[in-house]
DNA sequence: CTGTTAGCGCCTTCAT
DNA sequence: ATGAAGGCGCTAACAG
């Protein structure tokens, strides 16, 4: 039986023998948490370990230490660029704190969400970051009941520690921008009702309209998913029932879908139709007509999510970071 | 010291005591690899384990078994949809075979490629799938020298076990399609010279042109990166120096960049300019003008990569799967 | 089929 | 500062 990718598997004992000291000495010298000793033995041991190509066996170490230096991340899918951005940011934040991030995808299915969680737990993660929390999801509550360290990223259930963007503010910035450009007939396409982000962004949008003395009719708001196809469909609905001069899509994917719907309806984005997205995925600024959107600082959100994992419980545990508007060619002054 | 996400940590011993049997009995009954015994004790043990909420500690188990049921995947970045698609497919393929896939991102830096590899090995992965192999990269050779199980996905170095699409065929299909539509003035934008995929696709393109009696002048081929920005730049270069009626971009991101460059140059894709991409990322079919592209069967590639990991060495180890052309609105018959 | 025994590689008292 | 010894949770030989 070959052991773990057939790697040379140089053990502590090998190093100890080669260096002529005991295993415990080597263990101590190579303990990355302790301050680096500069004693003669320490230096020699490190050199020998290096020559032999020693690598600590994370499993044995984790077993003994009771923690593994691993953080589990749960996302619905990685092919959604927003989730990929979030995971990469979490990976960086984790690494900066000496942790390794592993990810599991779980789609939109609560059942697979549970089973993916169990898989991660089985692998002994020291904490769990969920980028999936639905408002109606009972997973965070279950984790709280079991006393499992976790935090929510991008969304919140109002109870578990959460790190997210200020969606209300983002929605406000987006629509305020449209209002400032003279638009008064604005439609809104947002995410699913079960997502706190979708609701927050609509709230902010409503506030900006109210400030301008505009009401937000119910039929002006379309709740959809966060995918491109949902954007196409929502856009189609919007453009057949009315003729808004501007659309706020609460997600860049949705906005891209709306772009396609607009194209099919004979509307020209950046000309007779203004469009704002949300998230500022890399694609947004590189479209033929670059998309005005709300930039979300994923790195800050990630840092918050990781920090909350290890923060003493009972602190103010819902952290919001401010988004920024990125005006681009997809929004223009309203034509009379 | 709390152990691993504070989970209840019900151990084999707990189950054994509660069920009134020995630890090894429980271990055997709960061994997922053995055939499921239906004896009275087995049934009872499973029930008790279930009630207590027992979960196997993957670290202890891996330590003892000498393998961890984990496969490491190395990709440059997950924010590139192609890589996200590839990883998700690998994740599925791994899961179908009882493995769990963990991913590490390493950018384009060979140094960080090395260190990410070490991190994965430290975590005791049973094998490594690299979706990063550059032609000039020495990592596969290093892994071979150390006897570490691995395979390459999407690219090949010509030696290590590889699972990839038939890039030559894909390039051929793309350009053949353009030729069939009457185009004779075709420019090609491809990926970096260090990628086997980029070269293969150009070769196929060249073959299709030759068949039609057309030569491929060197200045008709632009080597770029695989990012959108590189596509914009390459497109700009193409459109300022000449006026091709069609462009084959060897990657959808590149194609999107070319779209933007075309827009800036006053060309209209699907009208006076035909454009073909490569990979068929989900976005391609959902653009305002849907992109004709070459569909790559990521699931087959993933299955191949995982299988090669555990195949007896010495087999035919470079597996290629056939891509398919997806004709869409971005390509039209040439206008005279 | 069951239980006993030994040990995977590492870390951490405890004694020197 | 160093070494010896025990054990983390689990599995594989070996008896019965």
């Amino acid at each position: 039986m070959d052991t773990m990718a057939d790697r040379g598997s140089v053990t502590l004992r090998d190093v100890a023998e080669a260096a002529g000291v005991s295993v415990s000495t080597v263990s101590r010298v190579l303990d990355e948490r302790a301050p680096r000793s500069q004693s003669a033995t320490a230096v020699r041991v490190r050199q020998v370990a290096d020559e032999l190509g020693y690598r600590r066996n994370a499993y044995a170490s984790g077993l003994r230490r009771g923690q593994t230096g691993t953080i589990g991340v749960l996302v619905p899918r990685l092919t959604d660029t927003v989730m990929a951005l979030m995971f990469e940011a979490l990976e960086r934040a984790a690494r900066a704190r000496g942790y390794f991030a592993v990810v599991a995808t779980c789609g939109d299915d609560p059942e697979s969400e549970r089973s993916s969680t169990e898989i991660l737990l089985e692998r002994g993660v020291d904490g769990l970051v969920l980028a999936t929390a639905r408002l109606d999801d009972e997973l965070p509550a279950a984790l709280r009941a079991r006393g499992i360290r976790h935090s929510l990223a991008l969304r919140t259930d109002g109870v578990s520690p959460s790190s997210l963007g200020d969606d209300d503010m983002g929605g406000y910035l987006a629509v305020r921008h449209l209002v400032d450009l003279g638009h008064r007939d604005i439609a809104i396409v947002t995410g699913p009702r079960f997502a706190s982000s979708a609701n927050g962004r609509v709230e902010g949008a409503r506030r900006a309209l109210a400030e301008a003395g505009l009401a937000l009719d119910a039929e002006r708001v379309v709740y959809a998913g966060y995918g491109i196809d949902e954007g196409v469909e929502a856009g189609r609905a919007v453009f057949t029932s009315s003729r808004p001069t501007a659309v706020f899509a609460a997600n860049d994917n949705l906005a891209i879908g709306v772009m396609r719907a607009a194209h099919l309806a004979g509307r020209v984005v950046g000309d007779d139709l203004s469009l704002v997205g949300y998230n500022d995925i890399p694609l947004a600024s590189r479209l033929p007509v670059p998309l005005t959107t709300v930039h979300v600082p994923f790195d800050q959100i990630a840092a918050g999510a990781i920090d909350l994992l290890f923060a003493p419980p009972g602190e103010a545990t819902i952290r919001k970071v401010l988004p920024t508007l990125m005006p681009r060619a997809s929004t223009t002054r309203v034509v009379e």
Side-chain angles (χ1 to χ4, degrees), chain A:
Chain A
M1 172 64 56
D2 42 24
T3 180
M4 301 184 188
D6 296 355
R7 80 152 168 289
S9 82
V10 181
T11 86
L12 272 191
R13 226 177 81 194
D14 300 327
V15 178
E17 277 172 12
V21 291
S22 80
V23 213
S24 11
T25 303
V26 180
S27 172
R28 266 187 295 257
V29 169
L30 264 33
D31 186 336
E32 78 284 5
R33 300 161 303 181
R36 232 162 182 267
S37 159
Q38 293 302 343
S39 74
T41 20
V43 173
R44 189 158 43 85
V45 166
R46 271 194 290 269
Q47 194 201 324
V48 171
D50 224 48
E51 281 167 7
L52 263 47
Y54 170 79
R55 334 227 87 255
R56 162 189 290 106
N57 179 324
Y59 283 68
S61 167
L63 181 57
R64 184 60 238 256
R65 288 189 187 178
Q67 47 178 34
T68 61
T70 308
I71 289 173
V73 178
L74 203 62
V75 300
R77 65 191 59 77
L78 250 10
T79 41
D80 181 342
T81 311
V82 175
M83 291 303 161
L85 285 166
M86 191 66 247
F87 173 69
E88 282 198 357
L90 284 165
E91 197 184 25
R92 281 190 294 272
R95 243 188 242 208
R97 290 160 181 72
Y99 286 87
F100 180 69
V102 312
V103 67
T105 59
C106 63
D108 291 313
D109 174 32
E111 180 42 48
S112 129
E113 197 184 13
R114 282 203 89 72
S115 69
S116 297
T117 308
E118 294 305 332
I119 291 183
L120 289 174
L121 253 24
E122 211 167 288
R123 309 203 92 77
V125 296
D126 295 335
L128 225 40
V129 177
L130 310 180
T132 64
R134 306 159 51 111
L135 286 176
D136 62 350
D137 187 0
E138 68 312 320
L139 182 55
L143 295 179
R144 288 196 297 274
R146 290 165 69 185
I148 292 171
R149 293 209 132 101
H150 67 286
S151 65
L152 311 183
L154 292 179
R155 299 181 188 173
T156 181
D157 71 340
V159 187
S160 284
S162 318
S163 176
L164 63 162
D166 188 331
D167 292 305
D168 182 275
M169 177 60 85
Y172 175 84
L173 291 173
V175 172
R176 172 65 191 266
H177 171 65
L178 291 172
V179 168
D180 287 348
L181 287 171
H183 295 275
R184 301 184 60 80
D185 195 349
I186 301 171
I188 296 179
V189 177
T190 189
R193 285 179 195 279
F194 60 69
S196 67
S197 56
N199 295 306
R201 290 166 201 178
V202 172
E203 273 321 299
R206 192 186 303 276
R207 198 152 54 80
L209 289 174
E211 247 184 48
L214 299 167
L216 181 57
D217 302 346
E219 69 263 25
R220 282 314 230 184
V221 184
V222 182
Y223 285 83
Y226 269 149
I228 305 182
D229 289 331
E230 280 106 332
V232 176
E233 213 162 315
R236 210 186 293 263
V238 164
F239 296 127
T240 52
S241 71
S242 63
R243 203 184 156 81
T245 63
V247 177
F248 166 43
N251 173 291
D252 288 341
N253 278 335
L254 280 177
I256 290 167
V258 170
M259 275 190 170
R260 170 146 174 77
H263 181 81
L264 294 172
R267 309 284 306 264
V268 181
V269 171
D271 186 1
D272 69 354
L273 178 72
S274 283
L275 181 61
V276 184
Y278 206 108
N279 281 330
D280 196 22
I281 61 175
L283 175 62
S285 58
R286 295 161 172 89
L287 289 163
V289 177
L291 180 68
T292 296
T293 187
V294 178
H295 180 81
V296 173
F298 288 101
D299 276 304
Q300 285 182 53
I301 294 181
I306 304 284
D307 287 342
L308 284 174
L309 230 37
F310 301 107
E315 305 227 336
T317 53
I318 307 218
R319 294 200 195 166
K320 292 194 179 183
V321 302
L322 284 182
T324 330
L325 183 79
M326 310 292 287
R328 302 208 178 96
S330 72
T331 45
T332 47
R333 184 153 289 280
V334 69
V335 287
E336 305 300 323

Short mmCIF file of all heavy atoms in Angstrom, two decimals, chain A residues 12 27 33 54 56 64-65, chain C residues 8-14:
data_model
loop_
_atom_site.label_atom_id
_atom_site.label_comp_id
_atom_site.label_asym_id
_atom_site.label_seq_id
_atom_site.Cartn_x
_atom_site.Cartn_y
_atom_site.Cartn_z
N LEU A 12 9.38 12.47 11.00
CA LEU A 12 10.16 13.13 12.05
C LEU A 12 11.31 12.24 12.49
O LEU A 12 12.40 12.71 12.79
CB LEU A 12 9.26 13.40 13.26
CG LEU A 12 8.48 14.69 13.30
CD1 LEU A 12 7.87 14.88 14.67
CD2 LEU A 12 9.38 15.87 12.97
N SER A 27 10.48 17.81 16.56
CA SER A 27 9.11 18.30 16.58
C SER A 27 9.07 19.74 17.07
O SER A 27 8.41 20.59 16.48
CB SER A 27 8.25 17.40 17.46
OG SER A 27 6.98 17.95 17.63
N ARG A 33 4.56 27.34 15.15
CA ARG A 33 3.87 28.30 16.01
C ARG A 33 4.80 28.90 17.04
O ARG A 33 4.63 30.04 17.47
CB ARG A 33 2.70 27.60 16.72
CG ARG A 33 1.68 27.01 15.78
CD ARG A 33 0.84 25.98 16.48
NE ARG A 33 1.67 24.91 17.06
CZ ARG A 33 1.20 23.87 17.71
NH1 ARG A 33 -0.10 23.74 17.89
NH2 ARG A 33 2.01 22.95 18.19
N TYR A 54 11.78 17.00 4.30
CA TYR A 54 10.71 16.67 5.24
C TYR A 54 9.50 17.57 5.08
O TYR A 54 9.63 18.78 4.89
CB TYR A 54 11.22 16.78 6.68
CG TYR A 54 10.11 16.68 7.70
CD1 TYR A 54 9.59 15.44 8.06
CD2 TYR A 54 9.55 17.83 8.26
CE1 TYR A 54 8.55 15.34 8.96
CE2 TYR A 54 8.51 17.73 9.17
CZ TYR A 54 8.01 16.50 9.52
OH TYR A 54 6.98 16.41 10.41
N ARG A 56 5.72 18.04 7.12
CA ARG A 56 4.87 17.57 8.19
C ARG A 56 3.64 16.89 7.61
O ARG A 56 3.05 17.35 6.64
CB ARG A 56 4.45 18.75 9.06
CG ARG A 56 3.24 18.44 9.92
CD ARG A 56 2.72 19.68 10.59
NE ARG A 56 3.62 20.14 11.62
CZ ARG A 56 4.40 21.19 11.51
NH1 ARG A 56 4.39 21.90 10.40
NH2 ARG A 56 5.16 21.55 12.50
N ARG A 64 -3.28 14.98 16.46
CA ARG A 64 -2.72 15.21 17.78
C ARG A 64 -3.08 16.61 18.32
O ARG A 64 -3.44 16.78 19.46
CB ARG A 64 -1.20 15.06 17.67
CG ARG A 64 -0.41 15.16 18.94
CD ARG A 64 -0.86 14.10 19.92
NE ARG A 64 -1.31 14.72 21.15
CZ ARG A 64 -0.63 14.74 22.26
NH1 ARG A 64 0.52 14.13 22.36
NH2 ARG A 64 -1.09 15.35 23.32
N ARG A 65 -3.02 17.57 17.45
CA ARG A 65 -3.25 18.95 17.92
C ARG A 65 -4.72 19.23 18.16
O ARG A 65 -5.07 20.17 18.85
CB ARG A 65 -2.73 19.95 16.89
CG ARG A 65 -1.22 20.02 16.81
CD ARG A 65 -0.83 21.19 15.91
NE ARG A 65 0.62 21.18 15.67
CZ ARG A 65 1.22 22.06 14.89
NH1 ARG A 65 0.51 23.00 14.27
NH2 ARG A 65 2.52 22.02 14.70
P DC C 8 4.43 2.79 13.41
OP1 DC C 8 5.50 2.00 12.80
OP2 DC C 8 4.71 3.65 14.57
"O5'" DC C 8 3.75 3.70 12.28
"C5'" DC C 8 3.15 3.13 11.13
"C4'" DC C 8 2.07 4.07 10.63
"O4'" DC C 8 0.90 3.89 11.43
"C3'" DC C 8 2.46 5.53 10.78
"O3'" DC C 8 2.93 6.00 9.50
"C2'" DC C 8 1.15 6.23 11.14
"C1'" DC C 8 0.22 5.10 11.60
N1 DC C 8 -0.19 5.14 13.03
C2 DC C 8 -1.55 5.25 13.38
O2 DC C 8 -2.39 5.35 12.49
N3 DC C 8 -1.90 5.25 14.69
C4 DC C 8 -0.96 5.13 15.63
N4 DC C 8 -1.36 5.12 16.90
C5 DC C 8 0.42 5.01 15.30
C6 DC C 8 0.76 5.02 14.00
P DG C 9 4.38 6.54 9.34
OP1 DG C 9 4.62 6.67 7.90
OP2 DG C 9 5.31 5.77 10.19
"O5'" DG C 9 4.26 7.99 9.98
"C5'" DG C 9 3.46 8.97 9.33
"C4'" DG C 9 3.29 10.13 10.28
"O4'" DG C 9 2.60 9.69 11.46
"C3'" DG C 9 4.60 10.75 10.76
"O3'" DG C 9 4.56 12.12 10.41
"C2'" DG C 9 4.63 10.50 12.25
"C1'" DG C 9 3.15 10.32 12.58
N9 DG C 9 2.88 9.46 13.71
C8 DG C 9 3.55 8.31 14.04
N7 DG C 9 3.07 7.71 15.11
C5 DG C 9 2.02 8.53 15.50
C6 DG C 9 1.13 8.40 16.60
O6 DG C 9 1.08 7.51 17.45
N1 DG C 9 0.21 9.44 16.63
C2 DG C 9 0.16 10.48 15.73
N2 DG C 9 -0.78 11.40 15.91
N3 DG C 9 1.00 10.61 14.70
C4 DG C 9 1.89 9.60 14.65
P DC C 10 5.58 13.18 10.95
OP1 DC C 10 5.60 14.30 10.00
OP2 DC C 10 6.82 12.50 11.33
"O5'" DC C 10 4.84 13.69 12.25
"C5'" DC C 10 3.63 14.42 12.10
"C4'" DC C 10 3.01 14.61 13.47
"O4'" DC C 10 3.00 13.36 14.15
"C3'" DC C 10 3.79 15.54 14.38
"O3'" DC C 10 3.10 16.79 14.38
"C2'" DC C 10 3.75 14.89 15.75
"C1'" DC C 10 2.95 13.62 15.53
N1 DC C 10 3.47 12.43 16.24
C2 DC C 10 2.83 12.00 17.38
O2 DC C 10 1.88 12.65 17.82
N3 DC C 10 3.29 10.89 18.02
C4 DC C 10 4.33 10.21 17.51
N4 DC C 10 4.73 9.11 18.16
C5 DC C 10 5.00 10.64 16.33
C6 DC C 10 4.54 11.75 15.73
P DC C 11 3.77 18.02 15.06
OP1 DC C 11 3.15 19.22 14.46
OP2 DC C 11 5.23 17.84 15.04
"O5'" DC C 11 3.25 17.91 16.56
"C5'" DC C 11 1.86 18.08 16.78
"C4'" DC C 11 1.56 17.79 18.22
"O4'" DC C 11 2.06 16.48 18.57
"C3'" DC C 11 2.19 18.76 19.22
"O3'" DC C 11 1.15 19.10 20.10
"C2'" DC C 11 3.28 17.95 19.90
"C1'" DC C 11 2.69 16.54 19.84
N1 DC C 11 3.64 15.40 19.88
C2 DC C 11 3.44 14.39 20.83
O2 DC C 11 2.50 14.49 21.63
N3 DC C 11 4.29 13.33 20.86
C4 DC C 11 5.29 13.25 19.98
N4 DC C 11 6.09 12.18 20.03
C5 DC C 11 5.51 14.27 19.00
C6 DC C 11 4.67 15.32 18.99
P DT C 12 1.33 20.41 21.02
OP1 DT C 12 0.06 21.15 20.99
OP2 DT C 12 2.59 21.07 20.67
"O5'" DT C 12 1.48 19.74 22.45
"C5'" DT C 12 0.45 18.84 22.87
"C4'" DT C 12 0.86 18.18 24.15
"O4'" DT C 12 1.82 17.13 23.88
"C3'" DT C 12 1.55 19.12 25.16
"O3'" DT C 12 1.06 18.81 26.44
"C2'" DT C 12 3.02 18.76 25.01
"C1'" DT C 12 2.91 17.25 24.76
N1 DT C 12 4.09 16.61 24.11
C2 DT C 12 4.42 15.32 24.49
O2 DT C 12 3.82 14.70 25.32
N3 DT C 12 5.51 14.80 23.82
C4 DT C 12 6.28 15.45 22.86
O4 DT C 12 7.24 14.88 22.34
C5 DT C 12 5.86 16.78 22.52
C7 DT C 12 6.62 17.56 21.49
C6 DT C 12 4.80 17.30 23.15
P DT C 13 0.87 19.95 27.57
OP1 DT C 13 -0.25 19.55 28.41
OP2 DT C 13 0.90 21.25 26.91
"O5'" DT C 13 2.22 19.85 28.44
"C5'" DT C 13 2.14 19.59 29.82
"C4'" DT C 13 1.88 18.12 30.12
"O4'" DT C 13 2.37 17.32 29.03
"C3'" DT C 13 2.61 17.68 31.38
"O3'" DT C 13 1.69 17.09 32.31
"C2'" DT C 13 3.65 16.69 30.92
"C1'" DT C 13 3.25 16.33 29.49
N1 DT C 13 4.44 16.31 28.60
C2 DT C 13 5.18 15.17 28.49
O2 DT C 13 4.90 14.15 29.10
N3 DT C 13 6.25 15.25 27.64
C4 DT C 13 6.65 16.34 26.89
O4 DT C 13 7.63 16.27 26.16
C5 DT C 13 5.83 17.52 27.06
C7 DT C 13 6.17 18.77 26.31
C6 DT C 13 4.79 17.46 27.89
P DC C 14 2.06 16.98 33.85
OP1 DC C 14 1.04 16.17 34.53
OP2 DC C 14 2.35 18.37 34.28
"O5'" DC C 14 3.45 16.19 33.85
"C5'" DC C 14 3.45 14.76 33.73
"C4'" DC C 14 4.88 14.27 33.63
"O4'" DC C 14 5.46 14.72 32.38
"C3'" DC C 14 5.79 14.83 34.74
"O3'" DC C 14 6.27 13.74 35.53
"C2'" DC C 14 6.91 15.54 34.00
"C1'" DC C 14 6.84 14.93 32.60
N1 DC C 14 7.36 15.84 31.55
C2 DC C 14 8.33 15.36 30.66
O2 DC C 14 8.73 14.19 30.78
N3 DC C 14 8.82 16.20 29.71
C4 DC C 14 8.35 17.46 29.63
N4 DC C 14 8.86 18.24 28.67
C5 DC C 14 7.37 17.95 30.52
C6 DC C 14 6.90 17.13 31.46
#
